[in-house]
Amino acid sequence: MDAQVERSQQTTTLISQAHVLEGGVGWHRLAIGEIASRLTDPDFPCVFSRNAFRKQLLRFVFVEDAGSDGMRHLAEALTEYVELSRAWDGQLDTAYPLVVMFSPEAVSARSVEGYHSFGWQVLQGLHRLDPAPWPDEVGQDPDSESWSMCFNGMPLFCNMSNPAHRNRRSRNLGEYFAIVINPRERFDVFAGDTPSGRKVRANIRRRIHGYDGIQHSPQLGSYGAGALEWLQYGLIDENAERSGVCPFRPQTVAETN
């Protein structure tokens, strides 16, 4: 591997898709190989992900462990990613998704539910390390239609993908647990509750049916239009109604002082 690429991967929290493809080693290379096999498949439902991979727009962070060091590394990367995203010019070809990959040593889960539990622990840990207050316009109760995960002052959408999915293949990016993160506003721009957005969502959901072999999850919906975000972060493997309480707990003022 080129020495400059190796140094870059050791010292930079965010890693470009090109650098991972060129100089990834060990499980990093295996992980991106599995992602590539999905996102180069013309039947993969998410046309935005396929476009981002084809144009090498993805940004990566690799988390080696789920302890304090790993979480600080992830928080640093996410802070950097949010700052990059603030400069977005509104064009699809400058919309960089973030793919957070976790090593096998970081995750002990074996079931969809276990992976989701781990994913919520990660988001809760990021919330504790968040350097900025929660935006006033975003609800802090996950059972509110206005709730969205936020970090460094930016609302985000977090897609949990894991290898335990059998029916919902579109939420399985290989043998490594991944959280794919995008700024909330990008979904509102390209697939929001507008005529063009509804057309985009209908197309993707038709593609989900073809790729997964089952209809899209009944929990999928539009932000602020009746659907709860937290249910969409980690989809169960079957098409069934869901109940329960979101594992995410917003910090109180007392906890942050």
Side-chain angles (χ1 to χ4, degrees), residues 13 23 86 177 235:
T13 50
R86 291 195 201 284
F177 179 67
L235 298 177

Side-chain angles (χ1 to χ4, degrees), residues 56-78:
Q56 296 198 4
L57 300 176
L58 300 182
R59 295 294 183 267
F60 287 84
V61 56
F62 295 94
V63 182
E64 302 293 341
D65 68 83
S68 58
D69 288 346
M71 288 304 302
R72 280 194 296 268
H73 174 69
L74 176 53
E76 290 171 4
L78 191 51

Side-chain angles (χ1 to χ4, degrees), residues 81-122:
Y81 175 71
V82 167
E83 291 306 316
L84 171 69
S85 300
R86 291 195 201 284
W88 185 49
D89 63 4
Q91 301 301 309
L92 186 60
D93 288 346
T94 56
Y96 303 101
L98 175 63
V99 183
V100 182
M101 304 296 304
F102 294 85
S103 76
E105 289 73 28
V107 193
S108 60
R110 294 293 180 267
S111 65
V112 171
E113 294 77 11
Y115 279 110
H116 288 170
S117 177
F118 173 77
W120 283 109
Q121 291 174 29
V122 169

